[in-house]
Amino acid sequence: MIIYLMRHGETDWNKARRMQGQSDIPLNAFGIELAEKTAEGLKDIKFDRIFSSPLLRAYETAEIIASVQGAKVIRDDRLKEINFGPGEGDTFDAAKQDPGHPLHNFFSDPGAYKAVDGAESFEDARRRSGEFLRDQILPLEGACEKVLVVAHGALNRSILNTIAGIPDEQFWKIGLPNCAVSILSLENGKFTILEESKVYYGDPVNGRP
């Protein structure tokens, strides 16, 4: 079985380099365009299932893909982005430049990051995404050929890093632009990364925080 793991299209907060987390920000016009170009690139792939985070930016992206496919999108709360707590809405640059910011290590020294004030940890994201894969994806092996999962930058990395054995110290190693599609295989219960971060438009945008 082949799984296409996709990040959502651009939002105004992406463009402004603001941390979205679980804030429900919709796609902007460019984000819709990126999703439409990606849908065109994927039009010849027949997805047996399409799963999405319920957050607007991911769900809208999934719906654009699904509209070309004539398919239904299944929303799953476990695909939501990491919760940044009170840091949501701040800029990446402010967090990275201020050692006192609660999300400073999240970006600058992820191996040392400790979640506080209601934010989630990398382990929290791995637990959620792992439960999703176990409950929703693993049972489809043998029944489905192609599956699409649309989620978020950090959440998708929690999946890719786990498969690739990338430690938290290198959490941001894989670049994931908006609408990037990473292609995974599932065989005998084992995931393998076949391709990372393929884009179906021009120059990749917002690949790293």
Side-chain angles (χ1 to χ4, degrees), residues 21 37 44 53 75 87 157 173 175 199 204 208:
K37 288 181 177 178
D44 294 329
S53 158
R75 286 173 279 195
R157 284 180 177 91
K173 178 179 179 180
V199 295
R208 283 189 173 84

Side-chain angles (χ1 to χ4, degrees), residues 35-51:
E36 289 173 343
K37 288 181 177 178
T38 304
E40 176 67 20
L42 296 173
K43 68 179 182 180
D44 294 329
I45 300 170
K46 176 62 177 176
F47 293 114
D48 299 297
R49 299 282 193 283
I50 298 178
F51 295 95

Side-chain angles (χ1 to χ4, degrees), residues 57-78:
R57 57 193 184 274
Y59 183 66
E60 288 174 346
T61 300
E63 282 282 276
I64 289 170
I65 308 295
S67 68
V68 173
Q69 299 269 332
K72 178 183 177 181
V73 177
I74 303 166
R75 286 173 279 195
D76 195 301
D77 281 347
R78 292 169 293 188

